[in-house]
Amino acid sequence: MSEQVLNTVSFAGRAASSSQFKALYTEGMSLVEETAAYLDGPGRAASKVLPRNATVLYAAESMRLTTRLMQMASWLLLQRAVNNGEMSYDQVLAEKNKVRLDGFNVDRMAPGWGDLPEAFRELVERSLRLQNRVSLLDREIYRPQEAIVPDNENSVRAQLDLLRTAFTN
């Protein structure tokens, strides 16, 4: 009995090239710019008057924040490049492996967290929400395709089963 790989419709792939992706891209790039402006201006001034524990935490968290945002910006730029036909899917896969979309979590219970400027904490929270959305989209787009069915199985039924599985989580 031979096997064939189903040609399934990629809803995530379509979403990644949709107006929703464009909105996510715009939001991500705007957050990068807004954060840079804050850290270079009001954030720099605010960090100079923080208590010692908060000063050290601010330095560490601002590094995590900028790293998180740069990783997401890299992912968004790669996705835009593949959507625009500037890079192939395989090229993006090779480059995407260099991008980390996790591991930049925040310890809100750390000593000094409450002393950090509210505007800074809000930027951190927004970046974490964006990171979650980008990570979810990444998993949907780039997860391995495992849909293999025997030749004699009705492919329409197989497609319906895949759709049923996708919408009953």
Side-chain angles (χ1 to χ4, degrees):
M1 183 185 293
S2 67
E3 293 183 343
Q4 76 182 56
V5 176
L6 288 177
N7 293 320
T8 59
V9 175
S10 172
F11 294 110
R14 290 185 189 270
S17 61
S18 70
S19 60
Q20 292 153 337
F21 172 77
K22 290 175 183 134
L24 181 66
Y25 178 87
T26 300
E27 180 184 347
M29 293 307 175
S30 295
L31 186 56
V32 168
E33 290 176 16
E34 183 182 343
T35 300
Y38 175 82
L39 292 175
D40 285 342
R44 182 170 292 168
S47 70
K48 293 180 184 203
V49 297
L50 292 173
R52 178 155 170 65
N53 278 348
T55 301
V56 173
L57 184 60
Y58 182 88
E61 288 303 329
S62 62
M63 296 261 308
R64 282 190 197 99
L65 173 61
T66 55
T67 302
R68 182 183 312 113
L69 288 171
M70 289 301 103
Q71 293 297 306
M72 285 187 292
S74 296
W75 187 92
L76 290 166
L77 288 167
L78 284 171
Q79 190 58 49
R80 186 182 75 167
V82 77
N83 290 347
N84 292 341
E86 298 163 2
M87 293 178 78
S88 72
Y89 182 80
D90 290 335
Q91 288 173 316
V92 169
L93 277 179
E95 291 300 314
K96 193 186 93 50
N97 289 331
K98 300 173 189 173
V99 176
R100 288 187 52 205
L101 295 174
D102 58 1
F104 302 108
N105 295 328
V106 173
D107 180 6
R108 292 170 189 87
M109 301 307 290
W113 177 259
D115 294 326
L116 295 176
E118 185 177 338
F120 177 77
R121 286 182 288 153
E122 180 58 28
L123 288 169
V124 169
E125 294 301 330
R126 287 173 52 204
S127 74
L128 290 168
R129 288 191 301 270
L130 185 65
Q131 176 185 7
N132 287 335
R133 290 170 44 214
V134 168
S135 294
L136 284 170
L137 186 57
D138 178 73
R139 283 192 297 273
E140 287 300 313
I141 294 170
Y142 297 103
R143 72 177 167 202
Q145 296 295 318
E146 299 172 353
I148 299 178
V149 296
D151 271 345
N152 63 353
E153 186 173 332
N154 180 329
S155 60
V156 172
R157 180 181 307 281
Q159 286 288 318
L160 290 173
D161 288 343
L162 285 171
L163 285 170
R164 192 175 307 111
T165 301
F167 293 107
T168 57
N169 287 331

